Amino acid sequence: ENSTVSAGNLETARGKVQVRVPGEFTNVNSIRDIVIKLNDGRPIRLSDVADVSDTFKDLTSVSRVNGQPCVSVNVHKRAGENADRMIKRVKKVLFASPLPPGLKITVVEDQSDMIRLMIEDLENNIISGFLLVVIVLFLFLGWRNSILVGLAIPFSMMFGFALMSVMGMSLNMIVLYSLVLTVGMLVDNAIVIVENTYRHHCDGEDKITAAKNGVAEVAMPVINSTLTTVAAFLPMLYWPGIMGQFMSFLPQTVIIVLMASLFVAMALNPAFCSVFITRPAIVDSHDEPGKWRRFTMRYEAVLRLALRHRWLCLMIGFAFLFFTMAMMARYSKGNELFPETSPRRASIDIRYPEGTDLKTTDDTIRTIERILAGYCRTDDKAPAGAAKSKGPGKDIKFYLSSVGSSAGSHLSSGQGAPHLGSIQMEFVDFAERQGDTAALIGRIRDEMGSFPGAQVRIEPEEMGPPTGAPVSIEIAGEDFDVLSELADKIKDTIRDIPGLVDLQDNIEDARPEIQFRVDRERAAMLDLDTASVGYFLRTAVNGEEVSKYRAGEDEYDITVRLRENQRQSVQLLKQVYIVTPGEHGVGVPLASLGAFSYEGGRGQILRKDQKRMVIVSGFTQGRGEDKIIEDVRTRLEAIQLPRGYTVAYAGDNQEKIEAGAFLLKAFLVALALIALLLIMEFNSILLPLIVMVSVILSIMGVMWSLMAFGLKFGVIMSGIAVISLAGVVVNNGIVLIDCILKRKAQGISATEAIVIGGRLRLRPVLLTAIATVVGLFPMAAGWSIDFHSFPPSFAASSETSAWWAPMAIGVIFGLGLATVLTLIQVPVMMSMIESLADFLRRRFGRHLESPPTPSRRPPETP
């Protein structure tokens, strides 16, 4: 009474007692002095029958950073908020005031650093690519025309950012890479417009007339070439699943900025040209300076030679394709979902059988911590004289340990999971590392070895969306015991496969339990039931919060339970008395109401399609996952599965299969859309076939890039590179074929029209190809100029650049080969089609091709 602790009754083995608090209290001694009045009226102090102590609750989790005790706090941002801005505000609050002596704040998993480095790296690639494009344009077009063309990049990106802002798109890694990919593409339309306007102006037309005629002559090819590139990326908008959500920003960004570049080329570039374009003081018949004219004459000679040996030239092209496919099959490094890069972070997950005490798990974590301490730096700088060639070194920036948390959730509260533990490692910045962090992870794995009774897994951080373990085998059936036997059998069968590490299953070992089975009839005779008995046992063992008391502004729980030495064995629990309900309740031995027994329960049961499922998973080290999965499939085919039980492959392998299937469909749909646009453009079926063949042949470039650099075929990266080529390669083919048709409509013979068209479009074809190549070169080479430092310096590769490099390399090689095909094979195939059409016209007396649109300009003299 008159207390912050509520008064009430306590049930003991000797019957009900009343608790009376003599007054308000503020410390533990006051609680010890509480007087208990028994039913017979005798008073007794609480401390005479119970231990009252001011202590902590039972330890359920432990957290350490670099081996020092710590408290982990996880901060999440709201959906739609700017992560970088939020983290800066959090840091400002954290470091606003000094900490008490002996305390230190360590910011772990700081995504703002990763975001900043990623943005700076991709920005450097964008700006470096832009400068290289402008330099190339300057060499071909002169400084004034190169500026007119180069303006297409900033204007297109400006309009693109405005559209993306209206659409609510955020600036992320995929968007930034998409801008790198399109840096060279953005000037394609401007090159054709400005170069054609420049040619008209050099032929004697004034600036305004040259701008009008120059745009009018190539307007439809430019529009259709842009639409074909958009059509190549359009199917990717419908990519399903989490992979589609991750990669959907790429086609959205490319389509937006390409449409913006079309607007700039058709509206702004002609306006600029009509004012600023100039012709040289001395102009020859084709405005070709000495070196360029000699190069043009050599190309014309090669083209005439190819036209004289058309079948041989075409056969060489297809023979080279079959040879490339054979070489790819022989020397392929395998395939992968995403490129393997040097990870920025890694995690170590420990799992003991359920029921393992916290100390056992903590001892294992401490053993691993001692290993990691040998690779952890004490400062943020690389040791003096460190060289990357010396292999794995002290590249760990910090490691955060958590005992009692579920695997992968090291910053969670971790209540009720003493058998689980995890360690999160973050490595130093990419430029400061002494070696490859992937090799360091393998070395740590070897030093750790195995721990009896524990499953240990080291998992490097992936840059892409979560896809699961590289090797993931799903075993489905009805009987859980049979599933467990099959899981053990599969692990024993594939355990020694080279490159397969950290093999384990997701079966939680039988959870040890002490069950008390209540004799319902005997309990009912005493007005007891299973609920009241269960509540009594829970209070006796785990404790029950009965009240609180306050000391100043602090509030403390008051928990009642048996003494520790009275709840450590079942025999002691049997001696406990439970009080029957009612005013005159009596104490009854708990053992008289039932029996204790040791049992084992299931930790977790997973289901898929209404069937119980067990997953056996593993990671890869030093060997391609496709080769490992192939070995796994071969060995598992020898296992006879019981009826009703199935084995399926999921995780990273399943995502790879699904992504590959979608990208193949997207590529075919893109080809169909491109063909449809070309048929509408040329009013012909045979002419689009020429462009389609050049697209197929350009894939050889992607294959040779993989073999030349020893890369695996990336289902995502190489697949998107092929689709990107399908759109880019078509552009030059459209412009070239359109020019040939216009020359042919002027009455020039087919062969001469092809030669003239090739010569007139040689410069824009080379410029558009070289511009795209040099725009991607900084990312493919792994270096760029760091414009965020003063003075600007060369920036080395980073995780982001290394991740995107295979795609950039594939596009560069593919586009380089496609340029040769456009300048040689396309004219050759067009000549063959013209000969075929002439033969059919003579044979059947009808036209198979609709006449092309006549040109406004008079015929040109070769």
Side-chain angles (χ1 to χ4, degrees), residues 836-849:
L836 177 62
D838 289 341
F839 169 78
L840 294 178
R841 280 194 293 267
R842 291 193 304 269
R843 179 69 177 81
F844 298 102
R846 61 183 179 181
H847 293 282
L848 299 180
E849 300 287 341

Side-chain angles (χ1 to χ4, degrees), residues 26 54-55 545 547-552 554-558:
T26 58
D54 184 5
T55 184
E545 181 185 326
S547 188
K548 299 178 183 293
Y549 87 90
R550 294 182 180 87
D554 298 326
E555 187 174 75
Y556 300 89
D557 297 336
I558 298 179

Side-chain angles (χ1 to χ4, degrees), residues 58-75:
D58 289 346
L59 195 63
T60 58
S61 64
V62 176
S63 186
R64 289 186 296 272
V65 60
N66 291 343
Q68 299 297 318
C70 71
V71 174
S72 303
V73 179
N74 201 6
V75 181

Side-chain angles (χ1 to χ4, degrees), residues 562-832:
L562 291 178
R563 290 173 175 169
E564 185 174 359
N565 59 359
Q566 294 177 337
R567 50 185 166 87
Q568 292 300 314
S569 70
V570 176
Q571 296 301 323
L572 294 174
L573 289 177
K574 291 179 180 179
Q575 302 173 13
V576 174
Y577 283 73
I578 181 172
V579 180
T580 60
E583 185 177 354
H584 301 288
V586 295
V588 179
L590 183 62
S592 65
L593 299 177
F596 285 96
S597 62
Y598 290 95
E599 301 289 344
R602 296 294 178 189
Q604 63 175 352
I605 298 178
L606 299 181
R607 291 182 181 273
K608 184 177 182 180
D609 297 332
Q610 300 182 354
K611 286 189 175 182
R612 292 179 174 178
M613 182 181 67
V614 170
I615 300 176
V616 176
S617 59
F619 284 83
T620 61
Q621 177 180 320
R623 190 166 177 241
E625 62 184 61
D626 56 319
K627 305 294 184 183
I628 294 176
I629 292 178
E630 183 180 347
D631 291 346
V632 170
R633 290 179 182 272
T634 302
R635 294 197 181 188
L636 294 190
E637 287 176 357
I639 298 180
Q640 296 293 329
L641 297 176
R643 179 175 297 179
Y645 292 81
T646 59
V647 170
Y649 299 88
D652 190 63
N653 181 67
Q654 183 66 24
E655 289 288 346
K656 184 166 58 178
I657 294 174
E658 293 177 357
F662 171 79
L663 289 175
L664 178 60
K665 293 178 183 177
F667 179 68
L668 297 178
V669 172
L671 290 181
L673 292 175
I674 292 173
L676 181 61
L677 290 172
L678 293 177
I679 291 173
M680 295 171 60
E681 162 74 5
F682 298 123
N683 195 23
S684 168
I685 295 178
L686 296 179
L687 292 181
L689 184 62
I690 297 175
V691 181
M692 293 296 101
V693 172
S694 66
V695 171
I696 299 300
L697 293 178
S698 67
I699 300 177
M700 290 188 294
V702 178
M703 297 181 183
W704 279 107
S705 71
L706 299 176
M707 291 185 288
F709 291 91
L711 301 174
K712 298 179 182 178
F713 181 85
V715 174
I716 301 295
M717 298 304 178
S718 301
I720 295 178
V722 171
I723 293 178
S724 302
L725 281 174
V728 177
V729 170
V730 172
N731 295 349
N732 290 332
I734 291 176
V735 174
L736 177 58
I737 292 175
D738 180 80
C739 183
I740 294 173
L741 292 177
K742 283 183 169 61
R743 304 287 86 77
K744 190 169 177 290
Q746 295 170 355
I748 302 176
S749 65
T751 300
E752 290 302 317
I754 291 173
V755 173
I756 294 174
R759 177 169 55 80
L760 292 178
R761 289 292 173 257
L762 175 61
R763 180 157 49 189
V765 166
L766 288 177
L767 275 178
T768 54
I770 295 174
T772 304
V773 167
V774 299
L776 289 172
F777 182 78
M779 179 166 289
W783 61 265
S784 60
I785 300 176
D786 185 6
F787 294 94
H788 297 86
S789 62
F790 185 82
S793 58
F794 284 104
S797 177
S798 66
E799 296 96 335
T800 305
S801 295
W803 201 63
W804 290 108
M807 185 189 294
I809 293 173
V811 174
I812 288 175
F813 272 69
L815 191 55
L817 181 60
T819 303
V820 177
L821 295 173
T822 301
L823 294 173
I824 302 296
Q825 290 286 10
V826 169
V828 167
M829 288 186 286
M830 191 165 184
S831 176
M832 297 175 68

